[in-house]
Amino acid sequence: MALKIQPLSDRVLIEPMAAEQKTASGLYIPDTAKEKPQQGKVVAVGNGKKDYDMTVKVGDTVLYGKYSGTELKLDGSEYLMMREDDILAIV
Amino acid sequence: MALKIQPLSDRVLIEPMAAEQKTASGLYIPDTAKEKPQQGKVVAVGNGKKDYDMTVKVGDTVLYGKYSGTELKLDGSEYLMMREDDILAIV
Amino acid sequence: MALKIQPLSDRVLIEPMAAEQKTASGLYIPDTAKEKPQQGKVVAVGNGKKDYDMTVKVGDTVLYGKYSGTELKLDGSEYLMMREDDILAIV
Amino acid sequence: MALKIQPLSDRVLIEPMAAEQKTASGLYIPDTAKEKPQQGKVVAVGNGKKDYDMTVKVGDTVLYGKYSGTELKLDGSEYLMMREDDILAIV
Amino acid sequence: MALKIQPLSDRVLIEPMAAEQKTASGLYIPDTAKEKPQQGKVVAVGNGKKDYDMTVKVGDTVLYGKYSGTELKLDGSEYLMMREDDILAIV
Amino acid sequence: MALKIQPLSDRVLIEPMAAEQKTASGLYIPDTAKEKPQQGKVVAVGNGKKDYDMTVKVGDTVLYGKYSGTELKLDGSEYLMMREDDILAIV
Amino acid sequence: MALKIQPLSDRVLIEPMAAEQKTASGLYIPDTAKEKPQQGKVVAVGNGKKDYDMTVKVGDTVLYGKYSGTELKLDGSEYLMMREDDILAIV
């Protein structure tokens, strides 16, 4: 399903992965974050700002801090909207 | 009815949608926000700032944070005035 | 009566309207602001700053936040002095 | 008496007027400020900053916020030293 | 093992060294930090920001503050993700 | 005695004057500052910063806020090290 | 012994002097700082930042605030790592 949503400015919409998932790099989320996944897939990316170009692309798997972003529910699934600067890394 | 109101600077006037509404993308607002809609329609847009051009246009449906903006009542309807940077996405 | 007062920098002097007043756009102030008007007429405008040009003009009717500005009494009337960025919109 | 004092940067030295004084524009200070005048005469002006030119001149009557500035006593009189940005208007 | 992880912006991924380790310069971590190493090896480096070029390189041994960074577990090992500005020195 | 000390950046080293001293302009320090002089003589001046040139010179008598600066003792005398922006005026 | 350590950015590594030491200028540290020296010798200097060039050099004797910097132990000696802006003066 394609989401018709355009994040504003330097924001990124992320679909969190379940805590037991594992990326290609074998990266696991920390034990202390069991109840809340810290890894997700980018599903929509903003256009950046006048002096800030976006780095992540739709489809990237990213790591982010435990309390980052605003939760949004869409057709029963949870998403996270956060600023790109809250994303730690692409894995 | 056309509103004769010109938001200043990077502000946007929004007509909030009822919590049970659904956009074309099927996006719902989070359960925890039942009592206060987080989706609305843009009814007026400021002219931006010297180093900031506006992105949203009148008629856009937008998502915004639960506590964003200042409430204004007009002819019995509630509106929200907020800075564009408080808008999360166009849906 | 013409006021001989020159606001400094990006400041604006506003004569608040009574809470029961209504603008051409039919805009009312919110119920929660009954005791303090949030709509007023611009009576004096500063010259702006090096990188900020003023938008409002003398005679404009403006909306502003409930706790914005500094109160000044002049010949028995109350005025509000605030920075233009505290003004929400021209109505 | 001419004061031999050069305020630094964007500072202004002000001689506060008594609360019962009235300017040419008929402006009175607010009732809530009876015990501390909010109107004064500029007696010395700094040279500004690299990107800030001064607006007020010696001899100007100015309005300022109730808690603005640092008090200085000179030959028995009280003066206020404040940054120009704390001055609300020239009256 | 090569980690497939790309830190974002000015971030650096660090593999902390055990507290009893010693660098070529003979530098020890402070006594008060026994339970948490403050020395580590850089394993991945971000691309910097528009006005900030990265200094550290993969393989560098670095010193950092005791509470710097976000912990990430990968295949059983602990890593730290921090901004380069939180790194004190290369040793 | 010539002090061999070079203040860094926009800092100024000041030798505080006794509270009962009086400058050429006849300026006295406020009553509330009896126990701590607020007037002093500049004994050393930093080289400024990339976008900030120093205004005060060695030998200037300056006024400063009561809690400004860091105290330094030298051969039994007290000095104050402060940033030039904490100096109110040259008298 | 030469320390193989490269401070990052605008940081400086300092070897604190004992409280009873005295510089060429005869400068003593304040009484209130007996238990912690505020004078030291620069042993390593960072490369500065894009818009900030370093002023202090290895070998300089510097003054600094009592709570400035991060302590690092090296071969039994205590060092302080601080940003150059925390250094008050070269003596």
Side-chain angles (χ1 to χ4, degrees), chain D residues 40-45 57-62:
Chain D
K41 199 162 283 280
V42 173
V43 294
V45 179
K57 297 180 305 296
V58 171
D60 282 349
T61 300
V62 294

Side-chain angles (χ1 to χ4, degrees), chain F residues 2-74:
Chain F
L3 273 176
K4 215 198 72 178
I5 178 167
Q6 176 58 44
L8 242 68
S9 183
D10 55 345
R11 289 187 178 85
V12 177
L13 188 71
I14 292 171
E15 186 182 0
M17 288 175 175
E20 58 283 5
Q21 278 180 298
K22 199 173 157 177
T23 67
S25 66
L27 202 79
Y28 281 101
I29 57 162
D31 292 342
T32 52
K34 275 275 164 58
E35 69 289 19
K36 218 178 193 186
Q38 287 184 281
Q39 215 174 127
K41 200 162 283 280
V42 174
V43 294
V45 179
N47 290 319
K49 295 193 286 190
K50 216 161 221 174
D51 55 355
Y52 183 86
D53 300 322
M54 302 301 282
T55 298
V56 303
K57 297 179 306 295
V58 171
D60 282 348
T61 301
V62 294
L63 294 182
Y64 48 88
K66 223 190 325 185
Y67 303 109
S68 301
T70 304
E71 298 184 8
L72 295 172
K73 194 186 273 184
L74 167 62

Side-chain angles (χ1 to χ4, degrees), chain A residues 15-67:
Chain A
E15 186 181 2
M17 289 175 175
E20 58 281 7
Q21 279 180 299
K22 198 174 159 177
T23 67
S25 65
L27 200 79
Y28 281 101
I29 58 161
D31 292 342
T32 51
K34 276 275 165 56
E35 68 290 21
K36 217 176 192 187
Q38 287 184 282
Q39 213 175 131
K41 198 162 283 278
V42 174
V43 293
V45 179
N47 291 317
K49 295 194 287 189
K50 216 161 220 176
D51 55 356
Y52 184 87
D53 299 322
M54 303 301 283
T55 299
V56 303
K57 296 179 307 295
V58 171
D60 281 350
T61 301
V62 294
L63 294 182
Y64 48 88
K66 221 188 330 182
Y67 304 108

Side-chain angles (χ1 to χ4, degrees), chain G residues 56-69:
Chain G
V56 303
K57 297 179 307 295
V58 171
D60 282 348
T61 301
V62 294
L63 295 182
Y64 48 88
K66 219 187 333 182
Y67 304 108
S68 300

